[in-house]
Amino acid sequence: GSAIKVAGKESIWVPAVAMYPNSTNGCAGIAQVELSNGPEIRTLDFDKDSDEFAQFAIAFPKSWNEGTVTFQAFFTANTTNTGTTLWVVNAVALADNGDLNTAFGTAVGPAAKAMSGTANDLAVTAESGAITIAGSPSTDELVFFQVMRDVSADNQSGDARLLGIKLFF
């Protein structure tokens, strides 16, 4: 008569409002966008002309296997351009008394995602490849993530408006 949780892939939604622009080469700060109908959206806008970054942190639940993670990006653009946008993510795990001045691991992302050609359409990337988290990930650690729009590998002519990241573990 008791329910048991079955282990498997789980996800965490990290909205743009839980992220912050990097001090150097950061994306624009959070913006609230009122559309003519439907929800107002809160976005982090990433410029088309240079790689820009944002960060967030997660203390994973005890059910995490301390292994690699993957992600999907949810975003939009206020343009009818059908160009692609490439999002990449890297991460570092830090334990109690760990040095916060520790480098991120290798950035990984899915294939660049093309926009539909309709302004303000929702775009959802494919799931990325496995992201190896730098450090020695373990329970009771804080994992810092960095999101980047890689403009050298995309051709979207407008700002890409990040709505959030769905993180799989």
Side-chain angles (χ1 to χ4, degrees), residues 7-96:
K9 187 184 282 191
E10 297 189 52
S11 66
I12 296 173
W13 172 247
V14 182
V17 296
M19 301 178 193
Y20 47 92
N22 284 29
S23 296
T24 301
N25 297 335
C27 62
I30 199 75
Q32 184 156 322
V33 181
E34 180 179 13
L35 305 172
S36 59
N37 292 303
E40 292 191 19
I41 57 176
R42 308 241 14 213
T43 69
L44 289 173
D45 293 355
F46 288 72
D47 190 68
K48 66 179 178 57
D49 297 320
S50 61
D51 294 342
E52 292 184 334
F53 302 83
Q55 295 183 19
F56 62 94
I58 292 178
F60 277 96
K62 295 278 188 195
S63 61
W64 179 40
N65 70 359
E66 303 166 11
T68 61
V69 297
T70 60
F71 77 95
Q72 287 179 296
F74 290 66
F75 66 102
T76 190
N78 187 16
T79 177
T80 57
N81 178 276
T82 57
T84 60
T85 303
L86 179 62
W87 301 100
V88 296
V89 170
N90 53 2
V92 61
L94 297 165
D96 182 33

Side-chain angles (χ1 to χ4, degrees), residues 2 25 41 55 65 80-81 106 113 147 151-152 162 164 167 169:
S2 62
N25 297 335
I41 57 176
Q55 295 183 19
N65 70 359
T80 57
N81 178 276
T106 302
K113 168 72 175 168
V147 180
V151 298
S152 66
L162 185 64
L167 193 63
F169 63 97

